[in-house]
Amino acid sequence: MAKPSKGKDSSPLLIHGQPLQVLPALAVALGLNEAIILQQLHYWLLRKAHERDGREWHYNTYEDWKKQFPFWSVSTIKRAILSLQESGVITAANYNNSNIDKTKWYAINYGKLNKLFSFSTGQDEPSTGQDEPSTGQ
């Protein structure tokens, strides 16, 4: 596949780098902001996780999350994270060495996520949001 040119057939507003991605079914089940944050947390857990108490964790301050989501306010990020915690989809803890360090650590409760998804959609597997290919029949 040819790389898009940076000339007249392109725009700096279109993706040339790594985009934020989210399945539409996840956004329907959790809310768009929550789904985006959850997907980003999953991304970091796959790349830079820290094991504590038998679980994989990733830590960030709200300001660190803001750097990843510059289009949201810190209060929007806090609300979405709190919503994910209240639903049980993520767990937050403090494993910092210093008691004055309030950076939160986050883990995804994949079992809870799968149960919530099945309950909210009645499906066993998430939809990609893409229509099934037509067979022409």
Side-chain angles (χ1 to χ4, degrees):
M1 187 172 198
K3 184 176 177 181
S5 70
K6 292 187 178 182
K8 66 179 183 174
D9 291 70
S10 188
S11 168
L13 298 175
L14 298 175
I15 298 170
H16 293 284
Q18 291 185 324
L20 293 171
Q21 297 182 26
V22 64
L23 289 175
L26 185 63
V28 168
L30 298 177
L32 181 60
N33 294 354
E34 290 83 352
I36 291 171
I37 288 175
L38 184 64
Q39 184 64 56
Q40 191 70 356
L41 176 58
H42 177 68
Y43 168 86
W44 285 116
L45 287 171
L46 292 174
R47 283 154 187 78
K48 197 174 179 182
H50 305 273
E51 188 175 332
R52 301 287 191 278
D53 298 330
R55 297 180 72 183
E56 298 291 319
W57 297 83
H58 180 73
Y59 58 84
N60 260 341
T61 64
Y62 290 121
E63 289 300 324
D64 289 334
W65 286 119
K66 172 90 171 107
K67 290 174 189 170
Q68 296 177 60
F69 308 118
F71 42 85
W72 286 332
S73 67
V74 169
S75 61
T76 297
I77 294 166
K78 285 181 181 180
R79 276 193 307 274
I81 289 173
L82 182 60
S83 174
L84 289 167
Q85 286 178 250
E86 289 174 346
S87 69
V89 173
I90 67 170
T91 300
N94 183 332
Y95 289 104
N96 302 309
N97 293 328
S98 170
N99 290 338
I100 61 171
D101 186 351
K102 302 301 180 194
T103 302
K104 287 189 176 183
W105 294 53
Y106 303 95
I108 297 176
N109 301 321
Y110 292 99
K112 178 73 171 181
L113 176 61
N114 292 337
K115 285 180 185 175
L116 277 175
F117 184 85
S118 294
F119 177 76
S120 67
T121 63
Q123 296 179 349
D124 292 329
E125 294 293 325
S127 166
T128 61
Q130 304 295 318
D131 293 331
E132 294 297 321
S134 173
T135 61
Q137 296 178 0

